[in-house]
Amino acid sequence: MKTTTSDKEAIMTLQDAMQARHTVRKYKKEPLSAEVVRQLNERIQAHNEKYGLRIQLVTENTDALPGIIGLTMTKGVRNYMILAGPNTPDVDEKLGYSSADLMLYAQTLGLNTWWVGGMYSHKGARRNSTAEDSAKIIGVVIVGYGETQGVPHKSKAAEAVSSYEGVAPEWFQAGVSAALLAPTAMNQQSFTIKGVGDQVSMTYAKGSFSGADLGLCKYHFELGAGKENFKWC
């Protein structure tokens, strides 16, 4: 995905979306417009091409949702992105990273989202995915027009998840704050961020979704800190 002037202008929109995005589980019946579907598919395709993934948008379909559709806390869920890619060691992180961008981009289009890693139908997702049978599916991202905008999740303090050798620069502090806005499994926020100079490392405690959560948090950190200010190590 080549960076253009319009992309740089859009970064601010994504940063605003990062603050505004919260998990939403109840949606209006309003279908996604053809233009919104086109824009989402273009963004998805860009990620698929850049990272070798097989993410796919499915609309007006509930096949992948039997595990959650019957719960009283959900309503109107009919569109989702299947998070799929080749079964490689780093695919979970790549899918987490890409899904973070796609959720924030959806927010800029006036949509709401919900990252679902456990309570979805694996068979239904596989049946609707055009990815090869050997591809790995780690979850789905529900997308649509929410009945509400959701509420902020409880968050850990920055000092509980990060440390910096010396006085932490503003970009590092902003990156940590942004990472704390990322959706993580059970909202555990089990990541550790360390910085020295312009070098930053991030690790995530082992778990079923640790790879995806690492990707989600890395994307948010980059968006908050500015990729031009540091290097991953």
Side-chain angles (χ1 to χ4, degrees):
M1 290 177 283
K2 185 178 180 181
T3 301
T4 65
T5 300
S6 60
D7 290 331
K8 292 178 180 178
E9 292 172 351
I11 288 175
M12 289 304 297
T13 302
L14 291 174
Q15 288 174 328
D16 290 341
M18 181 169 58
Q19 298 291 334
R21 190 216 64 82
H22 309 300
T23 294
V24 172
R25 296 184 174 90
K26 294 185 179 181
Y27 294 83
K28 300 175 183 177
K29 294 181 179 180
E30 181 181 354
L32 304 184
S33 69
E35 177 60 15
V36 164
V37 170
R38 182 191 67 78
Q39 291 176 291
L40 286 174
N41 279 328
E42 283 188 356
R43 194 81 168 192
I44 289 170
Q45 184 59 27
H47 278 278
N48 285 343
E49 291 178 357
K50 184 172 184 178
Y51 300 109
L53 301 175
R54 303 291 186 273
I55 301 173
Q56 179 183 340
L57 174 66
V58 178
T59 61
E60 295 301 309
N61 179 287
T62 61
D63 288 354
L65 311 175
I68 61 171
I69 205 69
L71 299 180
T72 57
M73 65 178 180
T74 67
K75 179 181 177 182
V77 178
R78 297 190 62 82
N79 312 291
Y80 51 91
M81 290 179 269
I82 302 173
L83 302 179
N87 197 358
T88 57
D90 61 349
V91 70
D92 289 48
E93 183 176 336
K94 287 181 177 179
L95 287 168
Y97 186 93
S98 292
S99 65
D101 177 79
L102 293 170
M103 286 191 291
L104 295 186
Y105 182 67
Q107 190 80 28
T108 70
L109 299 178
L111 302 170
N112 301 98
T113 54
W114 175 17
W115 207 106
V116 184
M119 299 181 295
Y120 75 98
S121 169
H122 295 244
K123 290 183 179 180
R126 178 68 65 180
R127 184 166 59 250
N128 283 277
S129 174
T130 58
E132 56 274 15
D133 291 342
S134 60
K136 183 178 183 180
I137 297 176
I138 67 167
V140 297
V141 172
I142 308 303
V143 60
Y145 299 100
E147 288 194 347
T148 71
Q149 293 301 306
V151 296
H153 60 240
K154 292 183 179 180
S155 187
K156 293 182 178 178
E159 55 268 24
V161 299
S162 67
S163 63
Y164 189 88
E165 190 172 314
V167 179
E170 289 185 7
W171 62 260
F172 182 82
Q173 298 176 52
V176 173
S177 295
L180 287 167
L181 294 175
T184 59
M186 305 298 292
N187 194 33
Q188 292 180 342
Q189 299 182 321
S190 299
F191 58 85
T192 301
I193 305 172
K194 296 181 179 181
V196 54
D198 66 349
Q199 303 290 309
V200 177
S201 66
M202 183 185 293
T203 56
Y204 207 96
K206 290 185 178 180
S208 300
F209 296 97
S210 58
D213 285 346
L214 182 62
L216 283 156
C217 293
K218 277 189 172 182
Y219 179 90
H220 277 68
F221 184 92
E222 289 181 358
L223 190 60
K227 290 193 287 186
E228 69 279 6
N229 291 317
F230 76 99
K231 299 176 183 177
W232 289 114
C233 63

